[in-house]
Amino acid sequence: MRFDNLYAEKRQPSPLRHTCRLFYRDTSAMIGLYAFIGLLFLCLFGNLLAPYSSDQQFLGYQLLPPSWSHYGDVSFFLGTDDLGRDVLSRLLRGAAPTVGSAIIVTLLASLFATLLGISAGLTHGLRSAILNHILDTFLSIPSLLLAIIVIAFMGPGFDHALLAVFLAVLPRLVREIYSAVHDEMEKEYVIAARLDGAHNKSILWYAILPNVAPRLVSAFTRGLSMVILDIASLGFLNLGAQLPSPEWGVMMGDSLELIYVAPWTVMLPGAAIMISVLIVNLLGEGIRRAIIAGIE
C-alpha cells in the first residue's frame, strides 16, 4: 500500500504542468492564445503579406469602398483612402509599429518593474513609505497625459513616443508589483517562515511569487493594453508616429475628416486597435484563471 501511494505521488504533475493543462482546457484562453500568435505573426511578416506598399497610390481609385460594397473592387479588399492607398496593406504594415512596439515596450517595462517592485516590496519602514508616496504622485497623472508631458520636452516622433509610453507605464507596473509583494510579506505564513530562519530569497521564490502570479499577469496584461492604446493615441494626436507611417493611430487621425465620406478609413484602424486589446485581455485573463485554479 505504501508503494502504491509513493507511485501515485510520483505520477502527480508538477504545478507548472498542471497549470498548463488547465490553460489548454480553457476554450476562451486558447482562442486568445491563437489570436495573439496571429498578432505576432502579423507584426513579424505583415510587410510580406501586404499586397501593396503602404505608400503606393493608385490614381483614379481614391476613396474606393471595401470589396463587398456595390462600388468596391476585388483588387482592394478593404478599400482605399483619399490618396488611393490600399487600406489592407496599410493595416498589415501598421501592426508592427502599433502592436509590435507595444509588446517590446511592455516587456522592457515589465522587466524593470519586476526588479524595482520586488526590491521595494521587500523593504520596510521609512524607505517603503517614501517609495509609496513617490509612486502615488506618478499614479495621480494619467498615463497618456504623462506621455504627452514627456513628448512636450523631447519633441514629437515615434522613438520619443515609445520612450514616453515606457516612462508612463513603468510606475504603474512598479506599484502593482510592489503592492502585491508588500501585501504578501505581511501575511502570517511569511512571518512564520522568517521566524523559522528562511531567507528572503527563498520566501520570495517558493512562497510569494506563486501567490502573486495572478496579480502580476493581470498587471502585465493591463500594461500591454494601455501601451497599445497610448501609442495609437499619440499617433492620433500627431505626437507619435508621423505621416505617411501606417501606424493605426496615425491612420485614424489622418482620416478623421473623412468619417462621413469614407467611414471605413477610420473604423477599420479603430477596429484593429480594439481587437488587439481584446485579444491581449482574453489571453491574460485565461492565464490568470489557470494560475488561480492551479494554486487551488
Side-chain angles (χ1 to χ4, degrees):
M1 189 69 179
R2 180 182 302 174
F3 293 103
D4 293 338
N5 292 334
L6 291 175
Y7 182 72
E9 291 178 358
K10 291 182 179 180
R11 292 289 302 273
Q12 291 180 354
S14 63
L16 179 60
R17 183 174 297 179
H18 180 56
T19 301
C20 292
R21 288 180 180 177
L22 293 173
F23 178 80
Y24 293 145
R25 294 172 184 172
D26 191 336
T27 303
S28 62
M30 293 304 297
I31 293 175
L33 175 62
Y34 290 135
F36 188 76
I37 293 174
L39 269 180
L40 292 178
F41 184 81
L42 289 181
C43 294
L44 295 174
F45 304 105
N47 291 339
L48 300 178
L49 296 175
Y52 309 106
S53 172
S54 60
D55 300 330
Q56 187 175 357
Q57 301 179 15
F58 296 89
L59 299 179
Y61 290 92
Q62 291 87 349
L63 298 181
L64 193 69
S67 61
W68 57 81
S69 174
H70 179 70
Y71 299 100
D73 191 318
V74 293
S75 300
F76 306 100
F77 182 68
L78 296 181
T80 60
D81 60 9
D82 57 333
L83 297 179
R85 297 173 297 188
D86 182 46
V87 174
L88 175 60
S89 299
R90 290 179 62 80
L91 285 176
L92 291 175
R93 293 176 181 271
T98 305
V99 180
S101 300
I103 293 174
I104 295 175
V105 170
T106 306
L107 288 176
L108 292 176
S110 300
L111 177 61
F112 283 100
T114 301
L115 296 176
L116 295 175
I118 290 177
S119 300
L122 296 177
T123 61
H124 298 277
L126 183 60
R127 289 185 299 175
S128 178
I130 293 175
L131 180 61
N132 192 22
H133 291 305
I134 293 175
L135 292 175
D136 286 339
T137 302
F138 281 103
L139 292 177
S140 64
I141 306 175
S143 62
L144 182 58
L145 179 58
L146 184 59
I148 292 175
I149 293 173
V150 174
I151 291 179
F153 286 98
M154 301 180 60
F158 187 61
D159 295 337
H160 295 170
L162 295 183
L163 178 58
V165 172
F166 172 82
L167 296 177
V169 74
L170 183 62
R172 283 157 175 77
L173 293 178
V174 172
R175 177 54 187 268
E176 189 68 28
I177 298 172
Y178 162 75
S179 299
V181 175
H182 188 268
D183 293 344
E184 205 69 22
M185 287 290 293
E186 301 298 327
K187 293 186 177 180
E188 294 181 355
Y189 78 94
V190 175
I191 297 175
R194 297 177 69 178
L195 293 175
D196 197 37
H199 195 270
N200 281 340
K201 292 183 179 179
S202 301
I203 297 174
L204 177 67
W205 184 256
Y206 294 104
I208 294 178
L209 287 182
N211 289 326
V212 302
R215 291 184 61 178
L216 299 187
V217 171
S218 298
F220 297 151
T221 302
R222 290 195 303 270
L224 179 55
S225 300
M226 185 178 70
V227 170
I228 293 175
L229 292 175
D230 285 351
I231 289 176
S233 299
L234 291 174
F236 179 82
L237 297 173
N238 201 28
L239 296 175
Q242 303 292 308
L243 291 173
S245 171
E247 195 272 320
W248 294 342
V250 174
M251 290 179 62
M252 291 183 62
D254 184 40
S255 304
L256 186 61
E257 60 184 13
L258 302 174
I259 189 169
Y260 296 110
V261 179
W264 62 89
T265 59
V266 180
M267 295 176 61
L268 291 176
I273 296 171
M274 181 188 69
I275 292 173
S276 300
V277 173
L278 178 63
I279 289 172
V280 170
N281 290 330
L282 196 63
L283 176 61
E285 183 63 21
I287 296 175
R288 189 187 68 84
R289 287 198 304 267
I291 293 176
I292 292 176
I295 294 175
E296 295 176 352

